[in-house]
Amino acid sequence: MDEREVVITGMGAVTPLGRDVASTWAALVAGTSGIGPITAFDASPYKSRIAGEVRDYQPPASLTAREASRLDRASVFALDAALQALEHSGLSLTAENAVRAGLVLGCARPGETSVWRGQEAFWRSGEVSAGYLPRTLANSAAAVAAGALGTRGPAVAISAGGASATAAIALAAGLVRSGEVEVAFAGGTDAALAPAALSGFAALGLLSTRNDEPERASRPFDADADGMVLAEGAGFVVLESEELARQRGARVYARLAGASSLMEPNVSTPSPREAGRSFRAALHQPALMQGEIDYFCAYAAGLPDIDKMENAAIKQSFGEVTASKLTISAPKSMLGHMLGASGAIDAIVCVKAIETGTIPPTINLERPADGCDLDYTAGTARPLLVRNALCYAYGFGGHHVALCFSAP
């Protein structure tokens, strides 16, 4: 059977910069930082006391306060972003077509907030509530989002560290392309702002300790970068066959021209060669597309070794001349690292860049680090006609994932 063309027809987001795609995108283009002091708990005992929080968050109106209290925070974010994406797509799910609609959700730290609260209760009283296990299951957020949407096809939860959402979109695209489903909701969610997670990431030496200047803490490609900043949120895209989208008169925002997901096992620091292999695998027509990528949405979390690796991978894959002309930017400079959700936001950034002809900046890039010598759109957003965009994500453990989007 011929493979189907896969298109993007809807998007939804909950981020430290906004409760939807429009507000998040406006803040990104403006170069606004969503990083600030942690308010979810007393972070004073910890080396890193800053994060990208979704502050003053209110669940969607379709969810009562009691219903929201029964769900993990990451599950509520996922439900919210998924419903936004459904509304944005204009798709109507019915009993008849819901069986041909699937969902793939990535999450790096399932139920982190509920684990924290549940363990507190256990050590205090020796018991946890009946809701503890359902809230902390790895598939909980996927099941919640699928239930809210009403999808009846496959609902899959996957975890690939910081590449979880990107891997989810790649897998969902395969389901649509093969004809297993007509529509797939794909994205990621995480709400890992809890004491143990903060302490754990800090113990690995991964977190910025620029606590007195939180807005300047996330510094991809910068010589003064001292680590990433934890963040939370969710993002979803709607993928469907182009044939169905055209039949129902849907607006197509972009094509998902290619996707790759591969493993580099048993590494502590990923290699440029394997990252580059994921870039090339995502290019639908490699010989042509390598010279036609207009925008590269970088993983770029502010981890110096990985930032340098990504820079080297771009140069090795595209060649020195093409790489020097490539427009690159790092949304994590403003959002922080949303873990399992970050790749979904990067995908949305690629689609919005195609739609609007605007590249959001990399903020806090004042003095490029050694080995980081490409065009990162430092400081200010830039107008650019984007025909093709590539986003890359790395997940600790060796996951390399890339997605290639093209104008409709």
Side-chain angles (χ1 to χ4, degrees):
M1 184 175 65
D2 292 339
E3 291 190 340
R4 303 178 179 194
E5 292 290 336
V6 180
V7 298
I8 312 295
T9 58
M11 297 171 281
V14 176
T15 78
L17 289 175
R19 307 302 183 268
D20 53 32
V21 170
S23 56
T24 296
W25 178 248
L28 286 170
V29 170
T32 304
S33 174
I35 311 302
I38 291 173
T39 64
F41 56 91
D42 178 10
S44 60
Y46 304 101
K47 294 180 180 179
S48 181
R49 300 186 291 278
I50 56 177
E53 283 186 307
V54 180
R55 297 175 184 270
D56 303 318
Y57 175 72
Q58 295 296 321
S62 60
L63 198 64
T64 68
R66 184 176 182 183
E67 289 170 335
S69 70
R70 294 175 176 174
L71 301 174
D72 182 71
R73 185 171 171 87
S75 294
V76 178
F77 288 163
L79 178 153
D80 191 347
L83 290 176
Q84 289 178 38
L86 174 63
E87 181 178 7
H88 188 222
S89 73
L91 183 69
S92 177
L93 287 179
T94 66
E96 290 73 25
N97 66 19
V99 296
R100 300 284 292 158
L103 180 143
V104 187
L105 178 65
C107 188
R109 304 286 302 177
E112 186 78 50
T113 304
S114 295
V115 169
W116 162 38
R117 296 300 188 188
Q119 291 294 319
E120 278 189 332
F122 178 78
W123 291 114
R124 185 169 57 248
S125 67
E127 296 181 344
V128 294
S129 71
Y132 174 73
L133 284 179
R135 284 196 297 270
T136 58
L137 290 173
N139 70 317
S140 178
V144 167
L149 293 168
T151 58
R152 299 287 302 280
V156 181
I158 65 173
S159 186
S164 294
T166 321
I169 294 170
L171 178 57
L175 295 177
V176 176
R177 191 167 285 119
S178 68
E180 184 171 343
V181 299
E182 292 282 357
V183 177
F185 295 82
T189 189
D190 256 312
L193 300 184
L198 187 72
S199 178
F201 279 105
L204 291 171
L206 299 176
L207 298 184
S208 171
T209 57
R210 197 183 288 262
N211 298 305
D212 295 334
E213 297 180 299
E215 297 86 357
R216 302 181 68 231
S218 186
R219 309 180 70 84
F221 304 118
D222 190 77
D224 294 323
D226 69 332
M228 69 182 195
V229 178
L230 276 182
E232 62 181 356
F236 262 94
V237 295
V238 179
L239 308 171
E240 59 183 292
S241 67
E242 184 178 24
E243 180 182 5
L244 173 62
R246 300 301 183 191
Q247 284 177 354
R248 68 182 188 84
R251 179 174 177 180
V252 172
Y253 293 91
R255 298 175 184 272
L256 183 53
S260 68
S261 183
L262 57 90
M263 190 68 182
E264 181 182 11
N266 304 317
V267 295
S268 56
T269 301
S271 68
R273 182 190 63 189
E274 293 301 286
R277 186 161 69 94
S278 73
F279 304 168
R280 294 188 296 275
L283 299 176
H284 189 57
Q285 297 174 294
L288 174 66
M289 293 285 286
Q290 284 193 34
E292 291 193 354
I293 295 297
D294 303 297
Y295 172 54
F296 188 104
C297 184
Y299 172 73
L303 297 167
D305 288 346
I306 296 182
D307 289 354
K308 292 176 185 179
M309 178 281 299
E310 189 171 12
N311 190 97
I314 292 170
K315 293 171 73 171
Q316 289 178 18
S317 297
F318 291 91
E320 294 273 350
V321 174
T322 299
S324 68
K325 299 176 181 177
L326 193 60
T327 300
I328 304 164
S329 74
K332 290 184 184 67
S333 64
M334 295 168 275
L335 290 162
H337 199 323
M338 296 166 62
L339 301 181
S342 61
I345 302 305
D346 289 348
I348 290 169
V349 166
C350 285
V351 174
K352 292 296 291 183
I354 289 171
E355 179 192 0
T356 67
T358 305
I359 304 300
T362 301
I363 67 169
N364 301 324
L365 179 49
E366 298 166 354
R367 188 165 59 94
D370 290 342
C372 297
D373 54 358
L374 298 175
D375 179 1
Y376 307 115
T377 319
T380 306
R382 179 185 306 167
L384 182 71
L385 175 63
V386 180
R387 300 159 299 169
N388 302 295
L390 189 72
C391 67
Y392 164 72
Y394 174 72
F396 287 119
H399 303 275
H400 296 276
V401 189
L403 304 172
C404 180
F405 298 91
S406 297

